[in-house]
Amino acid sequence: MVYKHFFGRTPEGQAVTRFTLFNHNTMEVNLLNFGAAVHSICVPDKNGTVAEVTLGCDTIADYIASPHFGGTIGRVANRIAGASFSLNGREYPLAANDGENHLHGGACGFDRRLWQWSTEDVDNVVVFSRTAPSGEEGYPGRLHVEVRYCLTQQDALIIHYTATAEEGDTLLNLTNHTYFNLAGQGDILDHRLELAASRFTPVDGQLIPTGEIAPVAGTPLDFTTPHRIGERIAAPHPQLQNAGGYDHNFLLDYDPASPHPLHPAAELCHPASGRRLTVFTTEPALQLYTGNFLAGERGRGGAPCPRYGGLCLETQHYPDSPHHPAFPSILLRQGETYESETVWFFGLMD
């Protein structure tokens, strides 16, 4: 069963609904139709104590001011250099909302919009949908998008994205921007992370990919074996200095010929609580962001969110793909349908 509650109103006066999903293992997920967002996830620790393990806000005003807490990001996640791209021989200017570059769909991307919603005849499913008109935030083409959340009895939250280019060609690169903190408070420097990624895309001083694909071996970006986030985050490496921590796109290692579309991406653990998060996805890459730019934004209860107060594991295509032909394309032609899935499994460390 899905429980619905009034959460607040947008600046335009539209009602925002919070949806609560439970399973038999005391896991709870709260969603908002504002931004098709994950409002909170609550899971037990090794002692059975349940706590919220994501960052979030109490009001819509705080969500609007937040750095994309829990939101569905689109049309194009991550950065586009110069806030423009060329498609079918035409140049499209976009909102420059990250210096001179475009970030996370613009000043009013998908995570700042109110979505329609529906539930299904099965337990613990909410589907959010919206149609983005041509020209929204500068993007061409009318696009219909659906995001389906399903909480399973096995402590997995399944996020399934579907989008159809209804009229005209467009670009699309969707992700979710939930900040995880498996401790429930403090910072994430003592979290241990492993990534199924032996390569990454280096960035310049504006965090735009250079176009190079580089091995992680021998660098502080090597998470092919588990490392504490804080172990090397301040290392004197140009890539970490550019970002003030980790804010990098990792290329996931998997066999493209595998018959199973989901492949392992990440495992995040917090030894003190015993909590563990394992990520699977159909996407080719994952952006690790360690909350480097958090600067006291209002979280739950009005508490400030500190630097490194949460980390994001954003499954997606590569950043700035329109300017790098060697990167996987994010072009969606008229009439084509895009599908993607990411699964978050919560549990306890062995």
Side-chain angles (χ1 to χ4, degrees), residues 170-189:
T170 191
L171 300 184
L172 187 68
N173 184 17
L174 299 175
T175 193
N176 180 279
H177 208 279
T178 291
Y179 288 76
F180 297 102
N181 184 326
L182 299 183
Q185 59 184 348
D187 61 45
I188 45 78
L189 298 179

Side-chain angles (χ1 to χ4, degrees), residues 41-52:
I41 298 175
C42 304
V43 294
D45 66 6
K46 60 186 177 183
N47 299 314
T49 302
V50 176
E52 292 177 328

Side-chain angles (χ1 to χ4, degrees), residues 68 71-78 102-106 108-113 115 130 132 136-137 139 143 145 171-176:
H68 313 285
T72 294
I73 303 298
R75 290 186 194 194
V76 175
N78 223 304
H102 179 79
L103 176 66
H104 289 335
C108 192
F110 286 2
D111 66 312
R112 309 294 201 222
R113 305 278 181 172
W115 294 56
R130 70 179 305 265
E136 183 176 270
E137 295 298 298
Y139 289 97
L143 180 76
V145 185
L171 300 184
L172 187 68
N173 184 17
L174 299 175
T175 193
N176 180 279

Side-chain angles (χ1 to χ4, degrees), residues 257-290:
S258 170
H260 199 292
L262 280 170
H263 42 269
E267 182 174 276
L268 181 69
C269 297
H270 181 244
S273 68
R275 295 187 180 99
R276 178 178 61 193
L277 166 63
T278 307
V279 180
F280 290 81
T281 188
T282 59
E283 288 296 296
L286 178 148
Q287 182 86 6
L288 168 63
Y289 172 54
T290 49

Side-chain angles (χ1 to χ4, degrees), residues 182-197:
L182 299 183
Q185 59 184 348
D187 61 45
I188 45 78
L189 298 179
D190 59 348
H191 285 47
R192 196 173 71 196
L193 178 67
E194 183 175 3
L195 297 176

Side-chain angles (χ1 to χ4, degrees), residues 7 57-64 298:
F7 184 78
C57 305
D58 293 333
T59 68
I60 292 301
D62 286 342
Y63 267 107
I64 292 172
R298 284 171 57 91

Side-chain angles (χ1 to χ4, degrees), residues 168-253:
D169 300 341
T170 191
L171 300 184
L172 187 68
N173 184 17
L174 299 175
T175 193
N176 180 279
H177 208 279
T178 291
Y179 288 76
F180 297 102
N181 184 326
L182 299 183
Q185 59 184 348
D187 61 45
I188 45 78
L189 298 179
D190 59 348
H191 285 47
R192 196 173 71 196
L193 178 67
E194 183 175 3
L195 297 176
S198 58
R199 299 171 299 157
F200 78 108
T201 49
V203 293
D204 63 19
Q206 297 184 65
L207 305 183
I208 299 294
T210 63
E212 179 188 7
I213 292 176
V216 300
T219 78
L221 289 92
D222 188 350
F223 286 96
T224 55
T225 57
H227 287 274
R228 284 191 313 106
I229 296 294
E231 179 182 338
R232 302 167 299 174
I233 199 169
H237 189 281
Q239 286 298 306
L240 297 182
Q241 292 170 333
N242 282 345
Y246 296 99
D247 194 358
H248 295 85
N249 173 60
F250 291 81
L251 282 57
L252 298 176
D253 297 328

